[in-house]
Structures are given as C-alpha cells and as structure tokens.
Amino acid sequence: MSANVNGIRAAQRRGGLTWLSQSGADVIALQEVRANEAQATKAMDGEPIAEWSRASEEGLAAGRAGVSILTPWPILAERDSEVLGDVAGGRWIEADIAVGEAKPVTVISAYVHTGEAGTGKQGEKYAFLQAITERLKELRDQGVDVVLTGDLNICHTDLDLNNTKGNVGKAGYLPQEQAYLSQWADLGYVDAVRAIAGERPGPYSWWSWRGQAFDNDTGWRIDYQWASPALRAKDATIGRATS
C-alpha cells in the first residue's frame, strides 16, 4: 500500500491512523510524512502500526517531505537517499523485507516533488528522476526484486490524465518527465496498476480541490507501483472516500 498522507500528524488529527493498519497490507509506504522520528512516533502512539518495523528518512526542512516504510514483518536492511547522491534528501527510502518465507523484496517509498516547468525546480526534478533511473538499473543488474512505490507527480501517458489539453506544457505532464518512466519500462520494470487496469483512462489517484473534480473523477494518476517482472500483481485498488 502506498499513501501520500500530507503530514502524518495532520492525518492523525483528521481522523486517526487506524485505516493504515486495517488496510491488510504487509507493507505500507508513506510519502510527505512531514515529521521527524519523534513526531511520527507520537502521531502513531496507540495505533497498531506503532509496533511495526519502520524505515524512514526525514525531510531536509522541518515540516517538509519525509518518507517511511511500515511493515509488521522484520526489515532486513534499509538504505536512504544517499544511494542516489545529493538530489533526493528526505524523499527516498529503501527497505529489504521478507514476508513470511518469501524471497526478500526491496520496497522503495519515493516522493518526487511537483517541479515547475521552465524553472530550477524542474531541473532538480529531472536530476532526481535521472538518479532514480540509474538506481533502478543498478538494482536490476544485481538481480534484486524491487517495488518502487510512491507519489511521482508525473502522468506517464494520456491515459493517466483526464484533462490533457489543459495541462500541455505543465509540470507533471511534460514529455521529458514521461520519458523517464518509459525508461523504467525499458529496464523491464512493470507499472503494476496499468498492467491490471489495461489501456483505459485512469484509475486516477489525485484530484484538484477545484470544482467537482473528485465527484466527477477528473483526476491525475501520479502515484505508482513499478515492480520487477518477477513480481506479478493480482489486483489493484485506489482508495477513495465515499462520503
């Protein structure tokens, strides 16, 4: 399971974190945790996930970014964004996890910031995406089974964005961004949700607050699970509030 919690302390105040442990997931990847270890521990106090194994990387600035991986299974090893150099501080964490007797899998929680076309922010986004691409190749060449999950802030194809015409030239829908995700496919990684959903629009994972975007399902698919080909997804669900 992957979730951008938009601040774990805020999520706890809005209604608690029980929904995370009740998801039934063996591994939960969180993005935009926006808390240091002490703050995150306090937010999860009293919740079942408080007893789970946790690998985290804090954001470089207080109240910004931050990623975590939670699992009721042991974490065999973890690596933070140092494996990518200096381009991803606070937005990359790897954890080697074996569920039961299964072969260990390297699970990655990543948060790629939105960027801004034509600015230095976009250049930083490209540098991060290039580092991710090189890391995925390295893990593939090592024979490691990988699931890269998280908020990537990119719509890979027209199927991943409802309003394509209105977003031409904007960050999140730029051809150069999309090309990086295509490179991951060329490396052999599989977009697990697209493999299940097939060639149809959506399923979207983010909606604007404007208008009735959520009610009308006029959204973006910017959250992904890219998996090694040996790992085959059986089902995929986008969590949506019903009221």
Side-chain angles (χ1 to χ4, degrees), residues 226-240:
W226 285 87
S228 299
L231 304 175
R232 298 186 180 276
K234 296 181 178 179
D235 194 12
T237 302
I238 303 292
R240 281 173 56 90

Side-chain angles (χ1 to χ4, degrees), residues 103-124:
K103 176 184 175 182
V105 173
T106 295
V107 179
I108 300 167
S109 180
Y111 172 64
V112 179
H113 63 289
T114 305
E116 186 177 347
T119 72
K121 291 181 179 179
Q122 194 64 28
E124 293 171 1

Side-chain angles (χ1 to χ4, degrees), residues 78-204:
E78 61 182 85
R79 295 165 295 279
D80 61 21
S81 63
E82 289 187 1
V83 298
L84 301 183
D86 59 358
V87 297
R91 292 176 284 143
W92 182 271
I93 190 71
E94 303 178 8
D96 299 341
I97 301 167
V99 175
E101 300 299 319
K103 176 184 175 182
V105 173
T106 295
V107 179
I108 300 167
S109 180
Y111 172 64
V112 179
H113 63 289
T114 305
E116 186 177 347
T119 72
K121 291 181 179 179
Q122 194 64 28
E124 293 171 1
K125 185 175 185 179
Y126 290 143
F128 188 10
L129 290 167
Q130 179 61 37
I132 292 174
T133 304
E134 293 169 2
R135 180 59 176 163
L136 288 177
K137 184 178 185 300
E138 181 179 31
L139 290 168
R140 184 205 62 177
D141 292 348
Q142 292 173 356
V144 177
D145 287 335
V146 175
V147 178
L148 165 60
T149 182
D151 181 353
L152 304 182
N153 273 304
I154 301 170
C155 294
H156 186 201
T157 73
D158 290 356
L159 297 176
D160 302 311
L161 177 61
N162 181 273
N163 180 15
T164 55
K165 292 183 179 180
N167 286 283
V168 172
K170 296 182 180 180
Y173 188 59
L174 297 172
Q176 189 172 345
E177 295 172 320
Q178 296 167 326
Y180 280 105
L181 273 62
S182 295
Q183 287 184 57
W184 302 353
D186 292 342
L187 289 172
Y189 291 94
V190 178
D191 178 347
V193 173
R194 177 57 62 209
I196 291 171
E199 297 300 302
R200 65 171 180 85
Y204 305 121

